[in-house]
Amino acid sequence: MASVPGRYRYAAVPHLMVDGAAEAIRFYAEPFGGEELFRIADPEGRIAHAEVRIKGSIIMVGDADGPFKVPGAAGGSTVGLHIYVEDVDALTAQAVRAGAELLQPPADMFYGARSAMLRLICSDRDGTIAPSGSMTPAPGRTPAYSHTE
């Protein structure tokens, strides 16, 4: 599809609508190694659209408005970002230092991977859930999934 920008090489791109998109962008960049590609802000500074690249994947971010509600408005979160890394323990510690709430500490899971779960808190009404996992099988485990590119 020549008309689709290369950075959207996947058919579905997450678009997170949050309360405080500028802080969310900073937060995604700090512990997860994200890079802000651009942002479009209205005259009041609210971000209508921004994009962050994390290890080759694009996440769209904006301030919630109109039909979009912040994750906390649902009484929890309806969105999860799965971020696969080599060292779940190190990423978890780094994210907690940056302000994430630890929901599940790193653990070897029954399905064969090591993972943790964090709540990304960019404001008192935000709270995107970010399960992070390692594609390296947990010691002595065979993953219940296979990966092929």
Side-chain angles (χ1 to χ4, degrees):
M1 298 189 312
S3 63
V4 177
R7 69 180 180 273
Y8 304 145
R9 67 184 175 272
Y10 302 110
V13 177
H15 192 159
L16 306 178
M17 303 305 286
V18 299
D19 182 31
E23 177 60 16
I25 292 165
R26 182 210 58 81
F27 187 83
Y28 299 148
E30 189 175 313
F32 303 114
E35 170 193 7
E36 181 179 341
L37 301 177
F38 70 89
R39 71 174 68 184
I40 301 168
D42 67 18
E44 289 80 42
R46 290 182 52 81
I47 297 174
H49 182 83
E51 293 185 10
V52 177
R53 179 183 2 237
I54 300 176
K55 296 185 180 247
S57 292
I58 299 295
I59 297 173
M60 298 176 179
V61 181
D63 283 303
D65 193 18
F68 297 103
K69 307 295 182 221
V70 298
S77 182
T78 60
V79 176
L81 294 176
H82 289 262
I83 302 170
Y84 291 96
V85 297
E86 293 296 322
D87 188 339
V88 171
D89 297 76
L91 174 80
T92 300
Q94 187 173 336
V96 168
R97 284 192 303 273
E101 175 188 357
L102 182 62
L103 299 178
Q104 173 191 305
D108 296 337
M109 304 306 288
F110 71 92
Y111 47 83
R114 184 163 181 77
S115 69
M117 192 173 301
L118 304 157
R119 183 184 317 274
L120 309 181
I121 303 172
C122 300
S123 78
D124 62 350
R125 294 186 298 155
D126 193 21
T128 301
I129 305 297
S132 60
S134 169
M135 295 313 297
T136 304
R141 303 299 300 257
T142 301
Y145 48 82
S146 64
H147 265 36
T148 58
E149 288 295 320

